[in-house]
Amino acid sequence: MASLRASGLLFSSSSCSCSKGINAAISVPKLPRIRFPATKTPLKLVEELNLRNGLTSTIPSENTGLDQYEPIKSTTSTTASAKLYAILEAVADRVEMHKNIGEQRDNWNKLLLNSINMITLTAATMVGVAAGGAAGAPLLALKLSSTLLFSAATGMLIIMNKIQPSQLAEEQRNATRLFKQLYCQIQTTLALRDPTELDVKDAMERTLALDKAYPLPLLGKMIEKFPENFEPAVWWPKPHESPRKQHKTKAKNGWSEDLEKEMGEVIEVIKRKDSEDYMRLGNLALKVNKIMAISGPLLTGIAAAGSAFVGHGSWAAIVAVTAGALASTVNTFEHGWQVGMVVEMYRNSAGFFKLLEESIESTIPGKDSEKREDGEMFEMTVALKLGRSLSQLRDLARKSSTSHVHGSTIDEFASKLF
């Protein structure tokens, strides 16, 4: 029995080793798995169509509950950003254009001023020499030359006084500054939040308003240099009128009744002092510029007529020389002192105060306190535009309120910059 058990164990062990060897020697290749496409349910078909269109499906999947939805990822903000970047590039190009053209027109003012003065003084000198005793052909040559020079000076002065190169240069400087300001505002919008279509529309309107306020071409679109009445410059789009609800609840978004009263008093000071003063100075500068713009060509024309009669009496030479000297003086005063630039400076300053008035008036009354600009931020912005600190701005409002009580006038301007 023992021998049989031993032989049985030996046989089993040998058979196992033999079977392992067979299994190790023979390897059966694995058959590839064939996957049959599952039929698409209507839900999965809709999801695929949405993905092709760049949208994420809002239909609940099979593994989620009915109350679980995926958020919609709209491409509206991306499109608005692209549009705003396009406007930003156009604004940067306009900054460069206005800067270059402003330098060019400033050179016009200097070159035309020097050229006309040299022509006028040369013609006056010729008249003096001709009156000193020249006769015959020399007298005729001097008379003809001086008359032609005075006539050329008259024509050049008419053109120069019409376009006012110093005022044109100031317009381009103001346009450059305002386009740079718009450029920074667009950059701030892109940096702080995702822009919307309203931001794109606002930037587009501001760009076109600046183009209209400060045109580049001279023919047909040039700003009238001698209007009947002095008007402030307007470089911002008209505000969109929309019905607003009055809210007399407790203050929100940094606004309070005291702050609204403070802004109201600031508006009163701007209207009574700053705007009124710059309108008065602008009208005065415009009248002075009109008088000199007429006087210059008129004097050179008189000098041209007087030079034509040199040799027929001493009065002709006296008239020609005196008128030529006065014309050169008036031309130097008008374009050397850049009276046209002063008119444009007053026009731009009056526009600045008008814009500030409109922005405060449109923010204070009848606007939802939750949607308007933060009160503290708005107060700081107004203070910076007027060149004041917050305490100085509040002190100005307090003085204005006190002047109403006592029936007096405040002796302080709102702005410390202009």
Side-chain angles (χ1 to χ4, degrees):
M1 292 295 292
S3 60
L4 288 174
R5 289 179 181 176
S7 62
L9 290 173
L10 181 60
F11 176 76
S12 62
S13 62
S14 61
S15 61
C16 290
S17 61
C18 184
S19 62
K20 288 182 182 180
I22 293 172
N23 291 334
I26 300 174
S27 60
V28 180
K30 296 182 179 179
L31 295 177
R33 296 181 180 179
I34 301 175
R35 298 181 178 179
F36 296 96
T39 57
K40 294 182 178 180
T41 62
L43 291 178
K44 291 185 178 180
L45 180 60
V46 173
E47 289 176 0
E48 183 178 350
L49 292 175
N50 286 336
L51 289 174
R52 289 181 183 178
N53 293 329
L55 300 175
T56 303
S57 176
T58 58
I59 302 176
S61 60
E62 298 176 356
N63 298 329
T64 59
L66 295 176
D67 57 342
Q68 294 179 357
Y69 294 87
E70 295 181 2
I72 298 176
K73 296 181 180 179
S74 176
T75 58
T76 304
S77 60
T78 304
T79 305
S81 297
K83 291 179 181 179
L84 211 55
Y85 274 113
I87 297 174
L88 194 68
E89 293 177 2
V91 170
D93 184 58
R94 280 168 170 77
V95 169
E96 194 66 25
M97 283 194 299
H98 283 280
K99 179 182 177 183
N100 295 337
I101 293 178
E103 293 176 356
Q104 180 191 47
R105 290 173 178 176
D106 188 41
N107 289 333
W108 286 1
N109 185 64
K110 296 175 182 177
L111 294 174
L112 286 172
L113 171 63
N114 294 332
S115 300
I116 293 173
N117 279 346
M118 288 299 297
I119 290 173
T120 304
L121 294 176
T122 301
T125 303
M126 287 182 176
V127 171
V129 172
L139 176 62
L140 180 62
L142 289 172
K143 285 171 56 177
L144 183 60
S145 299
S146 61
T147 303
L148 290 176
L149 288 175
F150 276 130
S151 300
T154 302
M156 294 174 67
L157 263 178
I158 290 174
I159 297 174
M160 187 178 184
N161 292 344
K162 176 66 176 177
I163 65 175
Q164 293 289 316
S166 64
Q167 187 169 348
L168 288 174
E170 181 66 14
E171 289 174 8
Q172 305 313 314
R173 283 191 285 266
N174 290 330
T176 301
R177 179 180 60 84
L178 293 171
F179 271 114
K180 285 183 178 179
Q181 184 179 6
L182 178 60
Y183 184 87
C184 294
Q185 290 174 355
I186 296 175
Q187 279 188 323
T188 303
T189 302
L190 290 168
L192 293 180
R193 56 185 171 83
D194 292 332
T196 61
E197 289 296 331
L198 291 177
D199 295 323
V200 175
K201 183 180 179 181
D202 180 69
M204 193 72 178
E205 289 179 351
R206 289 177 181 273
T207 303
L208 297 178
L210 276 171
D211 287 338
K212 184 178 180 180
Y214 298 100
L216 290 172
L218 294 179
L219 300 177
K221 294 185 178 181
M222 183 180 68
I223 299 174
E224 178 61 37
K225 298 300 181 289
F226 301 100
E228 294 182 1
N229 298 315
F230 179 80
E231 296 291 339
V234 178
W235 61 83
W236 58 92
K238 294 181 180 179
H240 300 285
E241 296 182 359
S242 58
R244 293 169 178 172
K245 297 180 179 179
Q246 296 278 348
H247 287 266
K248 296 184 179 180
T249 57
K250 61 181 181 180
K252 296 179 181 179
N253 200 17
W255 284 92
S256 63
E257 292 183 1
D258 293 338
L259 182 56
E260 291 183 357
K261 290 180 180 178
E262 176 189 335
M263 291 294 107
E265 294 296 336
V266 171
I267 290 179
E268 290 297 323
V269 177
I270 292 175
K271 288 181 178 180
R272 287 185 296 167
K273 299 293 292 185
D274 299 78
S275 295
E276 183 179 347
D277 189 64
Y278 275 95
M279 291 296 291
R280 179 182 61 82
L281 292 175
N283 277 301
L284 178 62
L286 182 61
K287 290 179 181 178
V288 171
N289 199 28
K290 283 182 180 180
I291 293 172
M292 289 189 294
I294 296 173
S295 300
L298 180 62
L299 288 170
T300 52
I302 293 173
S307 64
F309 291 96
V310 173
H312 297 280
S314 59
W315 63 269
I318 294 174
V319 169
V321 173
T322 304
L326 287 175
S328 179
T329 303
V330 170
N331 188 39
T332 301
F333 184 81
E334 180 184 6
H335 299 289
W337 289 12
Q338 300 188 11
V339 181
M341 182 272 291
V342 175
V343 173
E344 179 60 26
M345 182 187 67
Y346 287 141
R347 196 175 77 93
N348 185 265
S349 298
F352 166 79
F353 290 115
K354 183 178 180 180
L355 175 60
L356 192 58
E357 290 174 19
E358 289 186 3
S359 63
I360 296 175
E361 288 176 350
S362 62
T363 303
I364 293 177
K367 191 171 183 180
D368 191 350
S369 59
E370 293 181 349
K371 294 182 180 179
R372 60 183 173 180
E373 186 179 353
D374 182 79
E376 296 179 358
M377 180 65 69
F378 187 77
E379 183 186 19
M380 185 184 70
T381 303
V382 172
L384 289 174
K385 287 181 178 180
L386 296 176
R388 291 175 173 271
S389 62
L390 292 176
S391 59
Q392 290 175 342
L393 187 68
R394 292 162 186 164
D395 185 61
L396 176 69
R398 192 185 71 254
K399 288 181 180 179
S400 176
S401 179
T402 305
S403 66
H404 289 314
V405 175
H406 297 289
S408 59
T409 57
I410 187 171
D411 58 350
E412 186 177 359
F413 289 91
S415 176
K416 289 190 174 183
L417 292 177
F418 304 104

